Amino acid sequence: MTSILRFAVIGNPVNHSLSPLIHEHFARQFFLNLQYEKLRGQEAFLESQIQTFFQEGGKGMNVTIPFKQQAFELVEVPSPRSLRSKTVNTLWIEEGRLYGDNTDGIGLIHDLQHYLIPQQKSVLLIGAGGAARAILPSLLDVNAKVTVVNRTFEKVLALKEDFPEIHYMEFGRIEGQFDIIINATAASLMQENVFLPEIVMQTSALCYDLSYLAQGLTPFTLYAATLGCSVTDGLGMLVEQAAEAFFIWNKLEPNKEEIKQILRKNQLHFKKS
Ligand code: NDP
């Protein structure tokens, strides 16, 4: 009998997380005896919750909303890309030290590659929260020309300090033509939408919503699809970032397509012909 490998995702809320499903699916491909639990994090106790998990033999932990920045502060050995974004979504222990990486950005790039070549594309990034911060290093690594807009303008300026390469605009004055529009706001989670000028949406090659729903279209992808845009949501990225974390922990490369199909069951897709 092989020993159980313990993993977890910590967040709040965390009940909706699809990470256990994805990692269990990956583990079955390699006959790993994996247990992946959901931990409801508490801001005041996050450090002790993480410590306890690893002291009790946990092998790896994912971090989700709203703890990616707080968890970064606890990491002893951050990866270069997590250092740039000041966020982590993947934790593990090596020689008694807490390591951290953020696989969201590379997950996005791998998913984008299913639709277009992301290298050197012009990108309009809506949002300046943790997710925007997490994906920026990977977008800049593929030489994307990134323009950021956000409802609260001060956050864009804070982002500009950490990523001097970015361009920015005011939220109410979005103009120009972009290859890719990425909605990295949490609006879709609240069933709200961010409305961009139709001409800006319609001249882009792809509208990508980082948010996803178990079924159907998010408000942003619905809006974009109605305008005739090519759209997708963040389910593919979710699987891709999980595969990167799975590789960090287990040194195994899972097949990702089957679980994407399972998660996309019942999802509608609108694509340009
Ligand atoms: P944060 O809370 O850190 O940031 C939220 C961002 O959304 C801010 O820029 C905020 O603007 C903006 N926002 C929220 N509501 C609205 C609205 N109604 N109109 C305009 N802007 C709004 O969240 P995260 O950055 O961590 O997460 C953002 C989204 O990305 C979530 O939906 C999350 O699920 C998704 N995500 C998906 C991943 C995947 O693998 N697919 C991975 C990581 C995140 P303001 O500054 O003005 O408040």
Side-chain angles (χ1 to χ4, degrees):
M1 175 80 181
T2 52
S3 60
I4 294 177
L5 303 170
R6 277 189 64 215
F7 297 91
V9 55
I10 193 161
N12 192 4
V14 74
N15 260 343
H16 68 285
S17 174
L18 296 171
S19 292
L21 201 74
I22 297 170
H23 281 273
E24 283 157 13
H25 184 87
F26 289 164
R28 277 197 291 279
Q29 296 174 19
F30 303 100
F31 306 101
L32 296 183
N33 195 358
L34 171 146
Q35 178 190 314
Y36 191 110
E37 58 198 286
K38 298 174 193 174
L39 296 177
R40 199 167 69 84
Q42 290 174 273
E43 190 182 336
F45 303 112
L46 190 74
E47 184 166 11
S48 64
Q49 286 181 296
I50 293 172
Q51 271 175 359
T52 304
F53 175 77
F54 284 111
Q55 277 162 6
E56 290 177 350
K59 189 168 160 67
M61 182 184 264
N62 283 133
V63 183
T64 189
I65 271 184
F67 298 122
K68 291 181 184 180
Q69 276 153 294
Q70 194 183 340
F72 169 77
E73 302 295 335
L74 304 172
V75 162
E76 292 163 274
V77 188
S79 68
R81 60 190 174 201
S82 68
L83 205 53
R84 282 165 76 196
S85 70
K86 298 181 182 159
T87 60
V88 287
N89 75 341
T90 304
L91 301 173
W92 70 101
I93 298 282
E94 267 179 49
E95 293 170 354
R97 295 204 293 166
L98 184 63
Y99 279 63
D101 193 3
N102 196 321
T103 63
D104 283 337
I106 194 68
L108 170 69
I109 299 295
H110 285 167
D111 195 43
L112 280 175
Q113 281 164 346
H114 289 92
Y115 303 93
L116 40 70
I117 298 164
Q119 275 76 8
Q120 296 182 326
K121 291 289 188 290
S122 60
V123 174
L124 177 64
L125 177 59
I126 318 163
R133 197 167 264 287
I135 63 176
L136 263 171
S138 299
L139 287 170
L140 296 171
D141 281 349
V142 296
N143 295 317
K145 182 180 172 231
V146 184
T147 303
V148 180
V149 294
N150 190 51
R151 187 177 58 179
T152 308
F153 188 62
E154 293 71 39
K155 284 198 201 161
V156 176
L157 298 180
L159 215 54
K160 174 81 178 165
E161 280 192 17
D162 287 337
F163 300 95
E165 308 95 317
I166 63 171
H167 306 260
Y168 58 83
M169 286 180 194
E170 283 179 43
F171 200 66
R173 295 187 183 186
I174 301 170
E175 57 179 15
Q177 190 181 339
F178 303 91
D179 297 314
I180 312 168
I181 299 177
I182 299 176
N183 179 19
T185 74
S188 287
L189 280 185
M190 293 165 267
Q191 287 300 308
E192 292 170 6
N193 195 13
V194 282
F195 292 99
L196 307 193
E198 291 184 7
I199 187 72
V200 175
M201 300 279 284
Q202 284 168 333
T203 48
S204 74
L206 179 68
C207 294
Y208 193 110
D209 196 352
L210 253 52
S211 298
Y212 48 85
L213 293 175
Q215 284 196 343
L217 295 171
T218 66
F220 182 74
T221 50
L222 179 62
Y223 172 57
T226 309
L227 294 175
C229 307
S230 191
V231 303
T232 190
D233 67 17
L235 262 181
M237 170 180 165
L238 182 76
V239 173
E240 295 285 349
Q241 64 75 28
E244 293 294 317
F246 189 87
F247 181 78
I248 289 171
W249 295 329
N250 303 300
K251 301 289 173 278
L252 294 166
E253 275 183 54
N255 179 303
K256 299 163 273 188
E257 298 315 311
E258 198 181 65
I259 185 70
K260 280 187 194 172
Q261 278 173 23
I262 293 170
L263 295 175
R264 290 224 178 272
K265 213 165 67 176
N266 301 326
Q267 277 212 326
L268 290 170
H269 264 262
F270 293 75
K271 299 279 294 165
K272 274 181 186 163
S273 58

